[in-house]
Amino acid sequence: MLTSLRTNANIVPMIGWSMIDTLIRPELLAQVREEISSIAGSSAKGSDIGEHMPKLLSNPLLQSIYSEELRIRNGVIIQRVPVVDNFKVGNWKFPKGDMIVTSTWHEQRDRSVWNEGPNMEHSVEEFWAERFLVYPNDPNSGPGKPGRDTKFKGRVGGIDEEGNRPIFTTDSVTGSYIPYGGGTKICPGRFYAKQEAIGAMAMFLTMFDIELEKNDIPQPNMEYFPFGVVPPLGIFPARMRRRKV
């Protein structure tokens, strides 16, 4: 029952947000379709996507979109209870048995941690498809705020220098990017969820042309917070038709 609840409550709005955030940005839509086509072929059908899943799952842009959706759309409460007295987290001390509560929604919007672009043009409150991409020749790229983790920035320099292609990473935001929880209680279905989300997105964009009837990003329905992926508020209509390859 618990697995069924998570499957229906999280992955459906997750795929919906991925589609909306991609479709509403024509340049991103073209880029995503190009990435899928480069992996599955320009004449690929929806039924062919499965055999290309390993490459789709390792594609930097598709992974970045998926991770950004988890960062901005997913909100859960993580609870822990210290088993020793004066348990320390940063400058805080907690007595044994007291509950510690963390909100992933707020942690994943911390401006002191997250990169918002060199001119703050990519707010932590907004979707940015490339937030989790590091470009070898761009010290301002990557999910972590530039200058916050200089050691990490040094490690990625020079990677995949041909064409300055990006790599996907979450390393510089370890401890702040926690959509699946952490420790021994981390979500065991996270790998399957990633396959569902990226695979479904690839199938939809391969099989259909989708026209959104609204040009504005919907607001999140906060009545669902903090129980997982927060769905869009209200109805977001669209027209779908089979693509002609």
Side-chain angles (χ1 to χ4, degrees):
M1 180 65 180
L2 182 59
T3 302
S4 175
L5 175 63
R6 288 176 177 172
T7 300
N8 290 292
N10 286 325
I11 195 62
V12 173
M14 178 68 182
I15 295 170
W17 278 118
S18 298
M19 295 298 297
I20 291 171
D21 280 320
T22 300
L23 290 166
I24 211 164
R25 298 169 173 85
E27 290 185 4
L28 177 60
L29 174 60
Q31 189 178 1
V32 168
R33 277 186 165 148
E34 183 178 348
E35 293 288 330
I36 296 172
S37 178
S38 69
I39 294 170
S42 58
S43 60
K45 300 178 181 179
S47 58
D48 300 331
I49 294 299
E51 62 188 81
H52 300 287
M53 282 304 297
K55 289 185 177 180
L56 289 170
L57 292 171
S58 62
N59 180 269
L61 179 60
L62 297 182
Q63 289 189 89
S64 183
I65 291 173
Y66 169 71
S67 297
E68 178 70 344
E69 295 295 0
L70 280 178
R71 182 194 71 82
I72 196 172
R73 310 300 183 191
N74 186 42
V76 297
I77 296 297
I78 299 175
Q79 302 171 336
R80 295 291 187 271
V81 177
V83 296
V84 296
D85 205 15
N86 291 324
F87 180 76
K88 191 174 183 181
V89 178
N91 296 323
W92 299 86
K93 288 185 179 181
F94 298 88
K96 179 180 179 180
D98 271 19
M99 182 175 291
I100 304 172
V101 177
T102 299
S103 163
T104 63
W105 184 274
H106 298 86
E107 185 64 33
Q108 294 174 169
R109 286 168 165 76
D110 188 342
R111 284 189 162 87
S112 68
V113 173
W114 292 88
N115 186 6
E116 296 183 279
N119 299 310
M120 308 292 286
E121 66 270 34
H122 300 293
S123 168
V124 292
E125 299 291 342
E126 299 175 356
F127 173 86
W128 179 21
E130 297 192 355
R131 197 179 302 271
F132 288 84
L133 298 184
V134 174
Y135 287 84
N137 299 325
D138 184 358
N140 293 314
S141 62
K145 195 176 185 69
R148 177 176 175 269
D149 192 345
T150 55
K151 182 179 178 181
F152 172 77
K153 293 296 182 183
R155 288 206 309 272
V156 300
I159 292 179
D160 199 5
E161 292 180 348
E162 294 184 10
N164 190 32
R165 286 185 59 81
I167 63 167
F168 165 82
T169 186
T170 62
D171 286 0
S172 61
V173 288
T174 298
S176 294
Y177 179 63
I178 44 178
Y180 295 115
T184 58
K185 302 295 184 179
I186 193 169
C187 176
R190 61 193 183 280
F191 303 111
Y192 179 63
K194 182 178 180 180
Q195 292 184 59
E196 283 186 294
I198 292 180
M201 185 177 178
M203 288 184 67
F204 270 112
L205 296 181
T206 298
M207 296 175 65
F208 298 100
D209 282 319
I210 306 172
E211 180 184 350
L212 303 179
E213 293 188 9
K214 298 180 180 179
N215 294 321
D216 298 325
I217 298 293
Q219 294 298 311
N221 188 345
M222 296 306 290
E223 291 185 1
Y224 287 82
F225 177 83
F227 303 111
V229 177
V230 177
L233 179 64
I235 297 173
F236 200 78
R239 295 185 178 91
M240 297 176 60
R241 63 180 64 87
R242 280 277 189 173
R243 293 194 77 200
K244 296 180 179 179
V245 180

